[in-house]
Amino acid sequence: MTSIGTGYDLSNSVFSPDGRNFQVEYATKAVENGGTSIGLRCKDGVVLAVEKLIQSKLLVPGSNKRIATVDRHVGIAASGLIPDARHFTSRARNEASSWRKQYHGAIPVSSLADRMGQYTQAYTLYSSVRPFGVTCIIGGVDEEAGPSLWMVEPSGVGWGYFGAATGRGRQAAKAELEKLDLPNLTVEEGVKHAARIIHIAHGDNAGKDKDFELEMTWVRVDKANVVEVTESGVVKGHGRHEEVPKELVEEAEREAKKALEVEDEEDEKMEES
């Protein structure tokens, strides 16, 4: 009976006999039904990209953002329930603002991820609330660590990543991210890879018949704001979260579609032979 949650999924403050919290697992399922989100930690910045499915032709292009700015140097990409993501982002902004008031500086990305993980985990402890139905990828650049990428899940656990993926196409996206030499990529190269990975993930999931918008932002260190360049080439400095220029995104999408067409033709030739 415990394998389907019978009797143990009525409250998120109750464990099943085999140590499972079913409401957290249900929240994770909500994330898996959302569009794919990915993050790439490059040597001079971070790239965030989201597959935003177009649910209606009446929607205004570019509206209903899935990526939000938390502080000047930090952005969040979310998969799952969008209202939960907006609340998560609002809390993250409060944490960043509180840090600036107390310490008179920008919050490190790792500290923000740790605080948001604790906040998210608190929603798994009480029967009067429910877990967040969203997984958020937090990316940014700070002077101490340089480019940083974290992912916070509905359980509250947060991990640091070179490349992170969540949503319905996460498996295909992870497989592609593992092929990349992320520590040696620039953000400009990361943009091209991110577009290709989102298109691959879209083609592999159940919503591939639906149109989608590619939403992409980056946090990069401008040459004038470099504080330090490590021996491994990692750039530390003042980053700024902003949308990737439209022309770069369009070029990256053209190259991604062309690469996928070539792969499809090669697959057809192999099947024929």
Side-chain angles (χ1 to χ4, degrees), residues 226-236:
V226 174
V227 173
E228 177 189 358
V229 179
T230 66
E231 294 181 358
S232 60
V234 175
V235 181
K236 298 181 180 181

Side-chain angles (χ1 to χ4, degrees), residues 2 5-26 121-131:
T2 59
T6 304
Y8 296 100
D9 58 355
L10 301 179
S11 172
N12 60 5
S13 60
V14 175
F15 285 105
S16 69
D18 52 354
R20 297 169 63 182
N21 187 323
F22 285 100
Q23 287 205 9
V24 171
E25 294 183 17
Y26 298 159
Q121 194 261 342
Y123 276 72
T124 70
L125 300 177
Y126 309 104
S127 59
S128 58
V129 296
R130 65 164 175 78

Side-chain angles (χ1 to χ4, degrees), residues 35-41 46-51 67 75-79 135-139 149-151 161-167 169-177 180 182 190-201 214-217:
T36 307
S37 298
I38 64 171
L40 287 74
R41 174 182 166 184
V46 171
V47 178
L48 301 174
V50 170
E51 169 207 20
I67 305 178
I76 288 180
S79 287
T135 293
C136 290
I137 300 174
I138 305 173
L149 187 71
W150 290 73
M151 186 163 69
Y161 291 88
F162 282 107
T166 185
R170 68 194 181 287
Q171 296 295 349
K174 285 180 182 178
E176 294 299 321
L177 286 169
L180 303 178
L182 290 168
V191 165
K192 295 180 180 181
H193 286 297
R196 180 179 58 84
I197 291 171
I198 288 292
H199 277 271
I200 290 174
L214 174 60
E215 187 176 339
M216 195 181 305
T217 64

